[in-house]
Amino acid sequence: MKEIQPMVKKTISRSWLFLLLLAISCQESHKNLPDCGLCANTAAKWIQVAEELPDEDSLFYLPRPAPLFRKEFSLVEKIDSARLFITAAGYYRASLNGEPIGKNLLDPAWTDYSKRIYYTAYDVTSQLTEGDNCLGVSLGNGFYNPLPLRKWGRRNPRVDLNVGKPTFIARLVLYHSDGQTTEVVTDDSWSYAYGPLQKNSVYIGVVYDQGKELPGWDTPNYSADSWQAVQLGAGPGGALQPAFFPPVKKMQEIQPISVSTLPDGKHLVDMGVNFTGTYRIRIPASASDTLTFRFGERVYEDGSLNPMTTVVGQIKREGIGGPGAPAIAWQTDSYVPAGKEAYFTPDFVYRTYRYMEISGLEQTPSLNDIQGWFTYSDVPDRNDFSSSSPLLNEIQEATKRTFLSNLVSVQSDCAVREKFGYGGDLNATSESFMYNFDMQDFYRKTVYDWVDAMNDSSFVDTAPFAGIQYCGISWESAYLITQYYLYLYYNDVDLIEERYEQNLEWMEKVARIHPEGLVDSGLSDHESLDPVPVQLTGTAHYLQCARIMATFASVMGDAANEQHFGQLADHLQELLRAEFWKQAVEGPINRQTLFSTLLYHGIIPEAELGAARDSLRMAILQAPAGHFTTGIFGTKYILETLSEHASVDEVFAIVNSRQYPGWGHMIDRGATTIWETWKESDNTFTNCHPMFGSVTEWFYRWLGGIRPDPSYPGFREFVLAPRVPRDLNFVRSTYHSPHGEIVSHWKKGTEGTITYEMKVPQGSRARVSVAVLPSQKLVVEKHPEGFQPEGMDGLASGNFILEEGAYTLRVSN
């Protein structure tokens, strides 16, 4: 396909138009020929402003307005369809003839822009008109042009990230019915000016000046004589690839539950729940002073805003943040009014908050004047869990809200203070996320983020890489462990095949860093209430990776490496057994994490499982309220191992309790998202952190009983083994597997009767396990009728196979 792009410049009145002539010769209709989007052989160029970035850090804090770019063009004939391909280094908002294009926010997804940049394709057919048109783009800083804020007094994102001047590239393709195309591309014919957004930082907020608005700037026939010619750029260097994962959008509008005026004249808005995103607020025409908006997850006892858990990078005193930085890095927006009513939503920012403080507004705003915008990646949300316990339901709701609040193109540990994609949190919660949402495409993108973040000699902690390198294998192993869970839950063999050689190289790196096998450096069970040696959890993750690679080698038909990694796993297992089981562990250690880690990773010999179970029970009994004191990994492990080796009733009693430490304690203290620590924090730790959300995995795996089978990845065959605690009356759980909907409901009836409703999707089958006492009878019915359960193997014991279909099971005395 040969492309030609002549353009004719034409001046009309005080504005200018570009007449696009026939641009392409095709031998095949566009309806049958895929478009290459922003591939290298298109005429589109990276464009940006001509002004250079400051030379000194302090100058970045001065106003640097977000640029507005425009391009006018004419359609001389009716078109069949039109598509816009666009991306940026930074964030962009695009419009056509004054109307926004698409519903994506915070686009493109955060990546290492020097290695990979995702672009989006929009169908804009309905927004074009015959005659004059105008394409507009506003450009924000995002993670490509961050402020030089020294998080924790030392981490400068302008050093840690690959940064530069915000830039974008776009290609608008107009498809004609005869198969011809016409194009509008980014090149030196575009122009730019600066608009009302005077500052925009993805961390500390925006400054917006209503008086500097340029009405109609992105519509045809706008007078742009004073606008400047763009500068062509080389781009950030990353490969341009089409986005294949869910975009970030405004997913929910949240109405505040109260607006109050404080004694100092400030107004406090309570959104009712903690969430990530932004807001929309009506600015009255009477507003004359600069309005300031601050955000927080909590309030003080006197009702005033407590923003301390949302302070960026713990910058809380003068001199910490570096030259020009605020003494305290509040998350703050400012609006300079110009005497006319408006509705304001800040672009290019997001934060986690429940409360918004408004300064500078004389009248108390009404509830209808304000909306919260819950903003996150649009992951499919079709799975569900609920029960007869109001507390469990509140924990589940808070967990899901926490998870979604930390899905803004990367899975963050917190979307407020750091916004980084830490691998440890991913290892602890990826299964929990998968039980609640379809994470396949999102986690594929995550794996590529790790591909771009890693090096061949040391471990990194985050993807995209943000300069942090002290957590060790338990964090970087998310690269491999996430691949395994994509295989286990979605049968994603293609990714294994694609990354196999790099996986082998990664394991070689691990062996170089830890030649003896025992992991001796890195972060361990983060936020455990008692110390945990990294030799325990780090080596356990190394063991997990060895077993994963043995599985991957089997998938690839690589018998030699299957044997090699099997032997490595045996060696690591023996190291852990010798270090932490065969001999007494002296000194302070979280024994809950100790025994649950050994049980979870299969370190304990079968004949000694009873002793390990009793030791785990004893460690729990000795804890405050007999509850869990585990951290980021131990919590996932203890929920599973105590259920498997002791009883679900023991776990349920802890999870369903409101005593400290625990999830019910958080809820009882007003939490609507899950805290970063078991202990309540009003100054340091975020109130919205996914780490302890691993409890939702337990809801699905043990109360619902829905579990993948490693021998049959992708739920071709799976386990349905619901467990029924004494003090719970019903559970409803639904999970959408690659084969379709899995249902596992149960409800207690009179005289000890339990009724189960189960659904096995087409193309799969379930290994069912339900509790049946010798004095009880199990009856199985299939819908529609015609099913003959008599003679089913294992029916009397409650362990049998169900093929595809919907079933009712009744256990009665």
Side-chain angles (χ1 to χ4, degrees):
M1 183 173 65
K2 187 177 180 181
E3 298 180 353
I4 311 168
Q5 194 170 22
M7 293 188 179
V8 177
K9 190 176 292 186
K10 179 180 179 183
T11 303
I12 298 181
S13 185
R14 296 181 60 193
S15 65
W16 48 265
L17 297 172
F18 286 95
L19 179 63
L20 298 172
L21 303 180
L22 189 60
I24 192 166
S25 173
C26 293
Q27 298 178 355
E28 187 176 355
S29 168
H30 67 84
K31 295 178 180 178
N32 301 317
L33 188 67
D35 196 295
C36 76
L38 286 175
C39 53
N41 63 348
T42 69
K45 306 294 183 184
W46 289 93
I47 63 174
Q48 57 205 27
V49 301
E51 290 78 9
E52 296 305 319
L53 296 175
D55 294 328
E56 299 179 15
D57 282 355
S58 62
L59 300 179
F60 279 92
Y61 295 91
L62 299 177
R64 291 189 60 81
L68 309 175
F69 298 82
R70 70 188 310 273
K71 169 78 172 194
E72 289 198 30
F73 58 96
S74 288
L75 297 184
V76 296
E77 62 181 57
K78 186 177 180 180
I79 61 167
D80 188 46
S81 62
R83 299 182 77 197
L84 174 69
F85 304 94
I86 184 170
T87 193
Y91 288 139
Y92 72 87
R93 293 295 300 273
S95 59
L96 190 55
N97 298 328
E99 296 296 324
I101 294 174
K103 296 182 178 180
N104 292 9
L105 300 176
L106 304 171
D107 225 23
W110 182 21
T111 57
D112 181 340
Y113 303 110
S114 70
K115 296 181 179 177
R116 193 186 312 261
I117 309 167
Y118 294 109
Y119 65 83
T120 302
Y122 298 97
D123 185 334
V124 295
T125 310
S126 63
Q127 292 180 252
L128 287 165
T129 61
E130 290 190 41
D132 300 338
N133 293 267
C134 182
L135 182 59
V137 173
S138 59
L139 195 57
N141 293 317
F143 291 94
Y144 191 58
N145 188 35
L147 292 173
L149 279 167
R150 269 60 160 187
K151 297 186 183 69
W152 311 286
R154 61 185 185 276
R155 293 249 63 99
N156 183 351
R158 298 202 66 81
V159 174
D160 294 336
L161 304 177
N162 287 306
V163 301
K165 188 194 304 183
T167 181
F168 79 102
I169 185 170
R171 176 172 171 255
L172 173 62
V173 185
L174 313 174
Y175 300 97
H176 303 277
S177 58
D178 62 359
Q180 305 294 313
T181 65
T182 306
E183 296 190 4
V184 179
V185 299
T186 45
D187 57 19
D188 59 8
S189 65
W190 286 62
S191 61
Y192 75 92
Y194 291 108
L197 191 59
Q198 301 299 290
K199 296 182 180 181
N200 70 98
S201 164
V202 74
Y203 282 106
I204 62 173
V206 309
V207 174
Y208 187 95
D209 189 338
Q210 187 184 33
K212 296 184 183 298
E213 291 178 343
L214 303 175
W217 70 271
D218 54 354
T219 60
N221 301 315
Y222 173 82
S223 178
D225 293 344
S226 62
W227 286 45
Q228 302 178 62
V230 299
Q231 181 185 78
L232 296 182
L240 287 164
Q241 299 175 355
F244 59 88
F245 44 84
V248 177
K249 295 181 178 180
K250 177 187 73 172
M251 298 301 300
Q252 183 182 345
E253 293 182 356
I254 295 177
Q255 289 300 131
I257 61 173
S258 69
V259 181
S260 58
T261 299
L262 304 176
D264 59 4
K266 297 177 182 178
H267 312 293
L268 189 77
V269 182
D270 182 356
M271 293 293 181
V273 293
N274 208 29
F275 66 98
T276 291
T278 184
Y279 58 94
R280 182 176 186 261
I281 184 169
R282 186 181 72 86
I283 309 296
S286 60
S288 56
D289 296 330
T290 296
L291 308 182
T292 302
F293 308 96
R294 285 199 310 162
F295 307 87
E297 299 177 302
R298 308 177 68 87
V299 291
Y300 290 115
E301 290 185 4
D302 64 0
S304 62
L305 179 75
N306 176 357
M308 299 307 290
T309 65
T310 68
V311 171
V312 176
Q314 307 295 356
I315 300 170
K316 296 179 179 179
R317 61 182 174 84
E318 189 72 45
I320 289 292
I328 300 179
W330 316 113
Q331 307 216 24
T332 305
D333 296 334
S334 296
Y335 186 96
V336 183
K340 56 183 178 181
E341 184 181 64
Y343 287 87
F344 173 58
T345 296
D347 280 338
F348 311 133
V349 293
Y350 65 99
R351 70 266 296 191
T352 304
Y353 71 104
R354 172 172 174 169
Y355 300 96
M356 178 168 68
E357 175 196 85
I358 305 173
S359 303
L361 195 61
E362 291 187 7
Q363 292 184 330
T364 303
S366 72
L367 291 175
N368 294 330
D369 287 341
I370 305 166
Q371 285 181 337
W373 284 17
F374 194 179
T375 304
Y376 54 85
S377 295
D378 186 12
V379 290
D381 181 5
R382 298 176 295 170
N383 304 338
D384 185 66
F385 172 87
S386 61
S387 74
S388 60
S389 166
L391 180 56
L392 260 58
N393 295 340
E394 288 183 88
I395 294 170
Q396 171 67 4
E397 182 181 359
T399 300
K400 288 190 69 172
R401 187 179 294 113
T402 305
F403 284 179
L404 294 173
S405 291
N406 284 281
L407 289 181
V408 182
S409 82
V410 301
Q411 181 181 317
S412 57
D413 71 320
C414 64
V416 57
R417 188 184 62 225
E418 298 173 43
K419 306 181 190 289
F420 295 158
Y422 281 100
D425 303 86
L426 191 61
N427 280 341
T429 62
S430 56
E431 283 193 278
S432 297
F433 274 84
M434 289 175 173
Y435 269 115
N436 285 281
F437 315 106
D438 183 344
M439 298 295 294
Q440 184 173 13
D441 291 337
F442 187 99
Y443 277 157
R444 258 187 168 253
K445 187 262 184 188
T446 300
V447 170
Y448 295 136
D449 285 342
W450 282 98
V451 169
D452 295 342
M454 296 185 304
N455 60 62
D456 61 3
S457 59
S458 63
F459 294 131
V460 301
D461 300 353
T462 67
F465 178 56
I468 306 171
Q469 302 183 78
Y470 76 95
C471 296
I473 189 174
S474 291
W475 268 249
E476 189 171 292
S477 60
Y479 160 72
L480 189 67
I481 293 172
T482 303
Q483 288 182 61
Y484 175 73
Y485 287 137
L486 285 169
Y487 168 71
L488 178 62
Y489 282 80
Y490 307 111
N491 195 26
D492 196 339
V493 175
D494 291 344
L495 188 61
I496 297 173
E497 295 174 346
E498 175 190 314
R499 303 253 60 90
Y500 187 64
E501 291 301 320
Q502 186 177 25
N503 294 342
L504 292 173
E505 293 171 2
W506 187 81
M507 290 297 289
E508 290 176 1
K509 180 179 79 170
V510 177
R512 290 196 304 272
I513 295 173
H514 298 296
E516 303 302 320
L518 202 67
V519 172
D520 55 2
S521 62
L523 192 59
S524 185
D525 198 23
H526 180 55
E527 292 307 322
S528 164
L529 293 181
D530 296 299
V532 176
V534 69
Q535 288 84 350
L536 174 66
T537 53
T539 310
H541 279 118
Y542 191 6
L543 168 61
Q544 185 176 6
C545 290
R547 289 169 174 165
I548 287 171
M549 283 306 297
T551 298
F552 286 2
S554 175
V555 170
M556 297 295 295
D558 183 353
N561 272 314
E562 183 179 3
Q563 181 182 20
H564 166 69
F565 290 117
Q567 292 172 345
L568 174 61
D570 291 342
H571 171 64
L572 296 172
Q573 179 174 313
E574 187 53 41
L575 285 178
L576 282 166
R577 186 179 297 160
E579 186 76 14
F580 293 103
W581 178 249
K582 288 185 176 179
Q583 61 181 356
V585 179
E586 303 294 339
I589 185 174
N590 189 322
R591 295 184 179 272
Q592 292 186 14
T593 297
L594 169 64
F595 297 118
S596 61
T597 301
L598 297 177
L599 287 166
Y600 186 89
H601 290 282
I603 309 301
I604 310 297
E606 186 173 355
E608 301 170 43
L609 289 175
R613 177 199 63 213
D614 294 343
S615 297
L616 178 58
R617 277 176 161 161
M618 180 61 67
I620 294 170
L621 287 173
Q622 292 173 346
H627 281 193
F628 301 147
T629 59
T630 45
I632 186 171
F633 306 123
T635 302
K636 174 184 172 74
Y637 299 161
I638 201 168
L639 286 162
E640 182 73 12
T641 57
L642 190 62
S643 299
E644 180 180 359
H645 297 284
S647 76
V648 167
D649 278 296
E650 294 175 48
V651 180
F652 175 78
I654 295 171
V655 175
N656 199 49
S657 168
R658 295 181 183 270
Q659 292 182 278
Y660 167 83
W663 297 272
H665 173 73
M666 300 181 195
I667 299 298
D668 209 40
R669 299 287 294 168
T672 58
T673 49
I674 303 300
W675 299 344
E676 184 178 3
T677 57
W678 293 120
K679 295 178 179 178
E680 187 170 9
S681 173
D682 66 355
N683 181 268
T684 303
F685 299 103
T686 177
N687 288 192
C688 183
H689 199 291
M691 182 170 60
F692 290 125
S694 51
V695 67
T696 191
E697 179 186 343
W698 181 78
F699 292 161
Y700 281 95
R701 283 182 62 85
W702 287 94
L703 300 184
I706 303 170
R707 303 175 207 160
D709 184 340
S711 299
Y712 301 92
F715 286 85
R716 182 161 51 90
E717 183 172 311
F718 60 95
V719 174
L720 269 181
R723 293 297 177 255
V724 182
R726 287 186 301 272
D727 298 325
L728 196 62
N729 293 324
F730 72 81
V731 157
R732 298 181 62 83
S733 53
T734 303
Y735 176 81
H736 283 77
S737 77
H739 294 275
E741 183 183 59
I742 298 171
V743 172
S744 178
H745 305 332
W746 57 260
K747 184 177 182 179
K748 293 178 181 177
T750 58
E751 299 180 353
T753 300
I754 302 175
T755 301
Y756 299 87
E757 300 290 338
M758 295 181 176
K759 182 179 179 182
V760 181
Q762 188 174 5
S764 62
R765 66 178 191 168
R767 296 203 313 278
V768 176
S769 173
V770 295
V772 182
L773 298 175
S775 60
Q776 293 179 317
K777 179 182 179 181
L778 172 62
V779 175
V780 181
E781 300 174 359
K782 184 177 181 181
H783 312 284
E785 298 179 358
F787 174 62
Q788 300 296 326
E790 294 80 6
M792 286 178 59
D793 291 340
L795 187 63
S797 66
N799 297 284
F800 52 92
I801 300 291
L802 286 181
E803 304 292 341
E804 61 187 60
Y807 302 86
T808 298
L809 289 66
R810 291 188 180 86
V811 176
S812 58
N813 294 318

